[in-house]
């Protein structure tokens, strides 16, 4: 409103005819402005103010010819990379210069996750756990991003981010306890395997419905902002989940409500069997960020340093500026979607092999370490053996453990048991005692 | 498309609420202003005038145990509860569509000025986002009071409410919860709200363990129950009968006070028949109880259920054990309505005491219609007829 009034003061009210004439002229000038950004600024003070659109919904110039904005999908947003496939740093100024210990820790966490994946995947094939989802090929996105965060930054995940928990020191025993749903599971055996969560590690419990965590993470980030506590929230999701309405909600809310949050999209090419060209037609997920007014970047998800750098900078700025950041990590889902899926039904083995053998986050980091003399065959052999032993020991302990007490069906529905739930619990216990030979009581604690 | 239509209706509903709903002039005010442009408007207005409201608000006795009281209507008592909360809990935030300027029903008037724009703020127009955002605020440990503009528009957030909010504590083994989330939504028929400004969706949520669902019948209950919902350690949905926003006026304590959840309120004692309802329908039932007393000499016990989930089985069953007859009434459609749940439970618990089949007087199994509203709602005459039949059974 004030702008309108100013314009009227400056130019007077009786210049309608001149104005009309000027309209044609300026809009012609403006056409060129759209494509010459730097030169445009000085044109402003000349005579464009009269002709500037006053619509509250957007800040833009008029244009006098019909032209649809074309999406830029052929030459998309570039993929930020720090080291090449042989582990060579490409641009020394981008080298995060991490210490040997830090890099060894990255490598060991990535490989430990890989070892755990192999053992739990096999255990599902043998029917020892009911379900599993591996992280093959995406280890770099987890470790690189987790390392760039503070340990009290709140994490919301989808289900393929076990490496974040691994990096934060979630014990192998508790990974196993959750998958086995035994009495040690902090989730009390209620959810399917890989639905991890840990209050101690600031990792919000995973749930199956896709993308629901995205607006939740925005809300948590808003609360964190009001706490004034130098924390951010990070929210992981796949490119398939980004099609959900909740993704739209979360992006838009976090931008309009100025939330310190990092949206981290794992674009691995597939949502179960659906390839990305059936998921979207724009330039991936990163290209949507600017549409919401979000700073966005695309990184090589198989380059742990690129992921680390992007997350580190996004974290720094999100905290300082209270605004959301979007990181799209390009990667490839090497494993099957889950143990209930055979991915050879919809993609070629050659394609999988390329990513497994030629461009893998673990082998790339190993090249980097080898080139520096930080890692050799001996270390590799020893660590493989040791990590396998750690996982197998935890695995065996988890398998031997009893399941939680069946009465835990009823607690935590509400903060307290309701009278109706007390009656239902008592009724179940009476019934199962009467028919106890038909129920697997020997496997459960009592 | 849908949101454009909704915006139109939103302003219509807001303006209608500014006009005197209590007086029963249900003319849509947009309609009135259009009619005034035509020369025959006065005449037209008379012929178009709708019949009186379907209920008479019965105010409660002035509560004495909570300190000083002020005369408030229902929307003012909501504001008062929100004001008390923001004053005492620095983490509490209020958000939703159009809450910043005071809300389309005036429930948040003045709060933004008093507590700041980081605590009372507008969100983008997206219900799944509002509830998801609220869950996140609560998960991070702050108090979240979300508004859904009409209960009719809560369904886009159904997934966030049912799969997420309700199951947060359970699935995490009590590591994380969103107990500090309260969702408020205007609810129930309003005379002319048609399909999407009239719904009573409580039964959809009653099937969802982990939620609490609460409906007040007047300003005193609204404030006390809303404060309990906000303080409760579980996600709560608080439905506000929008027809009462201005119509219901009574003395309400100005300080914070808490009315217990999951506890029904016996608003009138009786010996021959138990009536159970919630929200506006409690006032219909009170009138029916008076009619039954006057015309049939029947003594009715009227119970306001107040909390739909988890509901107060004990109070209802105790009453039916005494009276032997039960009539349940709600505005929502009969099939799968919450009356079905009450009926089954009472039948199980009070089989030997029942002297007549349990009666349900509810909305029909149709969408909520516009011009046919007077025929659709379970008004006092339909309820009275049910009483007559039960007594003569």
């Amino acid at each position: 409103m004030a702008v309108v009034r100013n314009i009227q003061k400056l130019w007077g009210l009786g210049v309608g005819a001149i104005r009309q004439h000027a309209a044609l002229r300026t809009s012609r000038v403006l056409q060129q402005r759209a494509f010459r950004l730097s030169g445009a600024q000085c044109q402003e003070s000349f005579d464009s103010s009269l002709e500037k659109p006053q619509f509250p919904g957007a800040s833009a110039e008029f244009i006098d010819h019909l032209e649809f904005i074309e999406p830029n999908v052929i030459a998309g947003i570039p993929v930020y990379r720090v080291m090449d496939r042989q582990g060579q740093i490409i641009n020394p100024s981008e080298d995060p210069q991490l210490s040997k210990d830090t890099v060894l820790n990255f490598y060991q966490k990535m490989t430990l996750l890989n070892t755990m994946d192999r053992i739990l995947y096999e255990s599902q094939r043998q029917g020892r756990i009911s379900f599993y989802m591996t992280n093959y090929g995406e280890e770099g996105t987890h470790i690189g991003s987790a390392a760039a965060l503070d340990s009290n930054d709140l994490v919301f995940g989808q289900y393929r981010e076990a490496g974040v928990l691994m990096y934060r020191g979630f014990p192998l025993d508790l990974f196993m306890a959750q998958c086995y749903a035994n009495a040690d599971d902090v989730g009390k055996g209620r959810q399917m395997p890989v639905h991890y969560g840990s209050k101690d590690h600031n990792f919000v419990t995973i749930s199956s419905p896709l993308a629901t965590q995205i607006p939740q993470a925005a809300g948590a980030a808003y609360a964190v902002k009001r706490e004034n506590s130098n924390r951010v929230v990070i929210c992981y999701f796949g490119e398939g989940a980004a099609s959900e309405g909740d993704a739209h909600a979360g992006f838009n809310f976090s931008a309009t409500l100025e939330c310190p949050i990092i949206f981290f999209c794992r674009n691995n090419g597939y949502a179960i069997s659906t390839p990305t060209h059936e998921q979207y037609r724009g330039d991936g997920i990163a290209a949507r960020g600017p549409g919401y007014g979000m700073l966005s970047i695309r990184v090589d998800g198989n380059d742990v340093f690129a992921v680390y750098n992007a997350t580190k900078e996004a974290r720094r700025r999100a905290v300082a500026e209270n605004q959301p950041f979007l990181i799209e990590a390009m990667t490839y889902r090497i494993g099957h979607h889950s143990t209930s899926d055979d991915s050879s039904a919809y993609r070629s083995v050659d394609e999988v092999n390329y990513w497994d053998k030629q461009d893998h986050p673990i082998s790339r980091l190993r090249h980097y370490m080898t080139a520096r003399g930080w890692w050799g065959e001996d270390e590799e052999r020893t660590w493989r053996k040791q990590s396998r032993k750690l996982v197998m020991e935890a695995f065996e302990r988890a398998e031997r453990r009893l399941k939680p007490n069946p009465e835990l069906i009823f607690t935590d529905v509400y903060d307290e048991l309701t009278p109706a739930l007390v009656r239902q619990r008592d009724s179940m216990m009476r019934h199962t005692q009467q028919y106890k030979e038909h129920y697997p009581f020997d496997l459960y604690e009592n | 498309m849908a949101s454009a239509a909704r915006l139109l209706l939103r302003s219509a509903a807001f303006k209608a609420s500014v006009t005197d709903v209590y007086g029963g002039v249900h003319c849509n005010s947009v309609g009135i202003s259009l009619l005034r442009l035509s020369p025959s408007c006065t005449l037209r207005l008379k012929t178009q005038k709708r019949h009186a409201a379907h209920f008479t608000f019965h105010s409660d006795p002035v509560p004495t145990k909570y300190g000083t009281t002020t005369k408030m209507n229902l929307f003012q008592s909501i504001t008062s509860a929100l004001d008390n909360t923001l004053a005492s809990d620095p983490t509490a935030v209020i958000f939703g569509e159009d809450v910043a300027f005071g809300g389309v029903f005036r429930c948040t008037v003045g709060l933004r000025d008093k507590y700041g724009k980081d605590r009372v703020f507008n969100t983008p127009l997206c219900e799944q986002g509002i509830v998801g955002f609220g869950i996140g605020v609560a998960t991070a440990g702050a108090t979240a009071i979300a508004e859904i503009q009409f209960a009719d528009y809560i369904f886009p957030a159904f997934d966030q409410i049912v799969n997420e909010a309700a199951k947060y504590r359970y699935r995490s083994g009590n590591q994380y919860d969103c107990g500090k989330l309260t969702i408020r939504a205007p609810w129930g028929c309003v005379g002319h709200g048609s399909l999407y400004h009239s719904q009573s969706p409580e039964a959809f949520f009653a099937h969802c363990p982990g939620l609490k669902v609460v409906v007040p019948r007047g300003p005193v209950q609204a404030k006390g129950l809303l404060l309990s919902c906000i303080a409760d350690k579980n996600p709560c949905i608080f439905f506000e009968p929008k027809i009462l926003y201005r119509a219901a006026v009574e003395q309400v304590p100005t300080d914070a006070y808490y009315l217990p959840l999951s506890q029904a309120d016996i608003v009138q004692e009786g010996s021959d028949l138990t009536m159970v309802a919630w929200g506006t329908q409690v006032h219909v039932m009170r009138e029916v109880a008076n009619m039954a007393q006057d015309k049939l000499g029947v003594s009715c016990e009227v119970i306001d259920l107040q909390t739909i989930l988890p509901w107060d089985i004990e109070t209802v069953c105790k009453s039916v054990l005494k009276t032997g007859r039960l009539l349940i009434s709600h505005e929502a459609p009969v099939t799968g309505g919450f009356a079905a749940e009450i009926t089954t439970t009472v039948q199980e618990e009070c089989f030997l005491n029942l002297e007549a089949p349990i009666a349900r007087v509810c909305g029909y199994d149709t969408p909520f219609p516009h011009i046919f509203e007077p025929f659709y709602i379970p008004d006092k005459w339909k309820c009275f007829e049910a009483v007559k039949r039960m007594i003569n059974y």
Side-chain angles (χ1 to χ4, degrees):
Chain A
M1 264 332 251
V3 179
V4 178
R5 245 175 272 128
N6 277 339
I7 290 164
Q8 290 176 343
K9 234 184 250 170
L10 278 169
W11 295 87
L13 288 166
V15 287
I18 307 164
R19 230 191 274 168
Q20 274 221 332
H21 186 69
L24 285 167
R25 225 175 345 130
T26 38
S27 55
R28 239 173 256 133
V29 172
L30 293 175
Q31 287 159 38
Q32 291 155 8
R33 278 186 54 185
F35 302 100
R36 283 190 301 115
L37 265 176
S38 54
Q41 239 58 29
C42 56
Q43 302 277 341
E44 198 89 52
S45 57
F46 178 47
D47 63 350
S48 65
S49 54
L50 263 182
E51 288 315 312
K52 190 159 165 55
Q54 301 297 329
F55 307 111
S59 162
E61 303 294 352
F62 285 119
I63 181 172
D64 73 351
H65 64 280
L66 179 72
E67 185 184 341
F68 291 100
I69 305 296
E70 284 189 39
N72 206 2
V73 291
I74 305 301
I77 295 171
V79 183
Y80 170 65
R81 175 180 249 206
V82 172
M83 58 177 164
D84 65 18
R85 284 172 200 150
Q86 282 68 49
Q88 302 287 325
I89 298 292
I90 298 161
N91 175 358
S93 66
E94 295 292 319
D95 185 348
Q97 311 273 9
L98 298 172
S99 71
K100 181 181 170 187
D101 285 351
T102 309
V103 175
L104 286 187
N105 184 39
F106 281 17
Y107 185 76
Q108 294 190 329
K109 290 285 158 61
M110 284 159 72
T111 44
L112 185 61
L113 174 64
N114 190 265
T115 306
M116 183 179 85
D117 274 350
R118 288 176 199 282
I119 288 168
L120 286 177
Y121 182 82
E122 285 311 317
S123 84
Q124 196 286 328
R125 298 281 95 172
Q126 296 164 12
R128 295 159 93 161
I129 60 174
S130 62
F131 178 77
Y132 195 68
M133 301 177 106
T134 63
N135 302 279
Y136 302 149
E138 299 182 50
E139 296 89 344
T141 61
H142 307 176
I143 303 299
S145 57
L149 298 170
D150 277 11
S151 59
N152 62 353
D153 290 338
L154 195 58
V155 180
F156 285 79
Q158 180 165 306
Y159 47 62
R160 215 183 293 284
E161 296 90 9
V164 177
L165 266 175
M166 187 73 87
Y167 186 85
R168 288 192 169 188
F170 191 63
L172 281 174
D173 282 306
L174 291 184
F175 279 110
M176 303 288 172
Q178 201 283 328
C179 290
Y180 269 101
N182 69 26
D184 295 329
D185 175 20
V186 288
K188 304 181 188 173
R190 289 169 181 152
Q191 288 213 86
M192 282 173 77
V194 311
H195 290 55
Y196 310 115
S198 173
K199 187 89 179 169
D200 293 341
H201 300 89
N202 292 302
F203 190 99
V204 179
T205 304
I206 300 295
S207 73
S208 307
L210 287 180
T212 48
Q213 79 278 14
I214 298 175
Q216 292 172 13
Y222 189 87
V224 159
K225 174 174 83 167
R226 289 202 67 240
E227 275 172 14
N228 221 355
S229 60
N230 191 34
R231 290 166 74 201
V232 287
V233 172
I234 189 164
C235 178
Y236 295 90
F237 53 94
E239 91 285 350
S243 295
E244 291 281 0
D246 278 330
H248 164 64
F251 299 159
N252 198 24
F253 275 54
S254 56
T256 59
L257 298 169
E258 296 166 356
C259 303
I261 185 170
I262 302 166
F263 291 113
F264 193 105
C265 178
R266 297 175 292 96
N267 190 335
N268 63 18
Y270 290 91
I272 306 188
S273 73
T274 307
T276 52
H277 71 267
E278 292 171 15
Q279 200 65 250
Y280 53 72
R281 285 297 164 94
D283 175 24
I285 309 304
R288 296 178 196 172
Y292 291 101
M294 252 194 299
L295 280 108
S296 307
I297 193 170
R298 174 174 281 157
V299 303
D300 183 342
N302 297 341
D303 178 346
V304 70
F305 296 144
V307 173
Y308 174 85
N309 280 353
T311 312
K312 188 99 185 155
E313 179 64 2
R315 187 195 184 280
R316 185 187 72 73
R317 291 190 62 185
V319 172
E321 300 161 17
N322 283 326
Q323 64 165 325
F325 284 78
L326 172 62
I327 299 172
E328 182 184 28
M330 306 310 289
T331 176
Y332 187 84
R333 196 196 77 211
I334 292 172
H336 301 300
H337 163 69
S338 74
T339 49
S340 308
D341 169 54
D342 173 10
S343 66
S344 67
Y346 51 79
R347 60 180 188 180
S348 75
V349 178
D350 290 348
E351 180 185 316
V352 177
N353 276 342
Y354 166 79
W355 295 98
D356 197 19
K357 309 287 183 243
Q358 312 281 313
D359 192 1
H360 196 287
I362 291 179
S363 55
R364 202 188 294 192
L365 187 61
R366 196 174 151 195
H367 287 312
Y368 174 87
M369 297 195 302
T370 311
R372 266 155 196 71
W374 293 353
W375 197 256
E377 282 301 322
D378 292 344
E379 283 91 346
E380 179 70 14
R381 216 171 301 121
T382 317
W383 170 242
R384 276 196 183 207
K385 222 161 141 188
Q386 194 192 340
S387 62
R388 198 174 157 76
K389 185 160 172 278
L390 287 171
V391 173
M392 282 311 294
E393 281 171 3
F395 177 79
E396 279 159 17
R397 279 194 296 273
E399 197 163 41
R400 279 197 302 272
R401 194 82 171 83
L402 288 174
K403 307 295 180 203
N405 188 324
E407 292 191 24
L408 289 176
I409 293 172
F410 298 96
T411 54
D412 305 328
V413 178
Y414 296 95
D415 64 322
E416 291 170 337
L417 280 176
T418 63
L421 281 174
V422 170
R423 273 199 302 279
Q424 288 169 28
R425 180 197 63 193
D426 294 349
S427 150
M428 183 194 82
M429 292 318 281
R430 266 197 313 278
H431 169 82
T432 51
Q433 283 305 317
Q434 191 184 344
Y435 291 88
K436 58 171 169 280
E437 66 276 22
H438 301 295
Y439 294 91
F441 272 111
D442 53 326
L443 303 177
Y444 291 78
E445 283 196 333
N446 54 47
Chain B
M1 196 41 186
S3 65
R6 184 152 42 134
L7 277 171
L8 270 177
L9 284 161
R10 269 176 192 158
S11 57
F14 164 51
K15 283 176 189 155
S17 65
V18 175
T19 62
D20 188 8
V21 173
Y22 185 39
V25 186
H26 287 294
C27 257
N28 184 315
S29 68
V30 172
I32 291 174
S33 53
L34 284 175
L35 287 169
R36 281 198 184 127
L37 296 174
S38 78
S40 58
C41 72
T42 343
L43 184 74
R44 291 278 305 278
L45 201 59
K46 271 178 193 159
T47 57
Q48 287 287 305
K49 190 169 170 180
R50 299 265 301 274
H51 73 298
H54 73 283
F55 69 97
T56 307
F57 175 73
H58 296 72
S59 64
D60 266 27
V62 180
T64 50
K65 56 179 170 175
Y66 308 115
T68 54
T69 60
T70 314
K71 202 168 169 187
M72 295 183 202
N73 62 26
L74 195 134
F75 85 64
Q76 288 163 334
S77 81
I78 299 290
T79 314
S80 173
L82 297 175
D83 190 359
N84 293 146
T85 303
L86 290 172
S88 64
D89 177 356
T91 71
V93 289
I94 296 170
F95 51 90
E97 295 157 14
D98 308 304
V99 301
F101 87 110
V104 297
F105 287 110
R106 319 312 292 151
C107 291
T108 51
V109 167
L111 297 177
R112 184 187 180 92
D113 291 341
K114 193 166 170 187
Y115 296 102
K117 62 184 183 350
D118 67 318
R119 301 191 65 191
V120 181
F121 51 92
N122 289 339
T123 64
L125 204 162
C126 178
E127 284 76 13
Q128 66 200 92
I130 292 170
V131 174
F133 185 88
I135 292 171
V137 169
T139 302
T143 300
I145 305 165
E147 179 181 302
I148 298 295
Q149 204 159 69
F150 286 85
D152 310 64
Y153 305 127
I154 204 166
F155 299 110
F158 203 67
D159 183 41
Q160 286 285 356
I161 295 171
V162 172
N163 276 331
E164 296 291 319
K167 298 172 173 59
Y168 231 88
R169 186 192 299 276
Y170 188 78
R171 72 183 185 208
S172 72
N174 201 23
Q175 293 192 92
Y176 287 98
D177 68 78
C178 59
K180 291 187 158 187
L181 170 67
T182 302
I183 303 165
R184 302 172 36 242
W187 168 98
C189 76
V190 70
H192 54 272
S194 178
L195 283 79
Y196 306 112
H197 297 80
S198 307
Q199 291 183 55
S200 305
E202 63 272 18
F204 286 108
F205 296 102
H207 195 52
C208 182
L211 295 177
K212 294 195 175 181
V213 182
V214 178
V215 190
R217 71 169 182 276
V220 170
Q221 290 74 30
K223 181 170 174 181
L225 289 170
L226 177 56
L227 282 167
S228 294
C229 283
I230 293 167
D232 194 83
K233 295 190 174 74
N234 301 284
C236 297
I237 302 177
F238 189 77
F239 287 127
E240 299 161 5
K242 59 178 142 337
I243 201 167
L244 300 177
Y245 272 141
R246 285 164 189 274
V249 184
E250 60 191 359
Q251 289 290 326
V252 179
T254 45
D255 289 339
Y257 60 96
Y258 301 85
L259 299 177
L261 303 184
S262 292
Q263 195 166 310
D265 189 15
I266 301 173
V267 296
Q268 182 177 315
E269 299 213 5
S271 54
D272 300 327
L273 186 146
T274 302
M275 294 173 156
V276 173
W278 48 93
T280 322
Q281 199 64 9
V282 173
H283 304 295
V284 175
M285 291 303 225
R286 287 179 101 152
E287 217 171 324
V288 176
N290 291 339
M291 287 160 69
Q293 188 68 62
D294 294 347
K295 296 184 199 290
L296 310 169
V298 171
S299 159
C300 295
E301 181 145 303
V302 180
I303 296 178
D304 177 4
L305 194 63
Q306 297 191 134
T307 302
I308 308 303
L309 185 74
W311 66 289
D312 182 359
I313 298 172
E314 197 187 334
T315 300
V316 173
C317 288
K318 229 161 115 183
S319 173
V320 177
L321 289 178
K322 175 176 75 176
T323 62
R325 290 180 185 84
L326 174 62
L327 165 68
I328 311 156
S329 181
H330 56 62
E331 286 175 18
V334 63
T335 302
F338 196 66
E341 179 61 34
I342 300 173
T343 303
T344 313
T345 304
V346 169
Q347 184 267 138
E348 279 171 1
E349 301 290 323
C350 313
F351 188 67
L352 295 176
N353 296 68
L354 285 171
E355 292 171 25
I358 297 168
R360 292 182 288 165
V361 182
C362 305
Y364 302 117
D365 288 339
T366 69
F368 200 106
H370 183 217
I371 202 63
F372 310 116
E373 179 166 326
F375 301 95
Y376 176 84
I377 52 174
D379 64 8
K380 62 184 175 189
W381 299 108
K382 292 178 187 171
C383 293
F384 177 70
E385 173 59 19
V387 171
K388 237 167 50 179
R389 260 187 277 134
M390 287 172 80
I391 293 298
N392 297 328
Y393 184 80

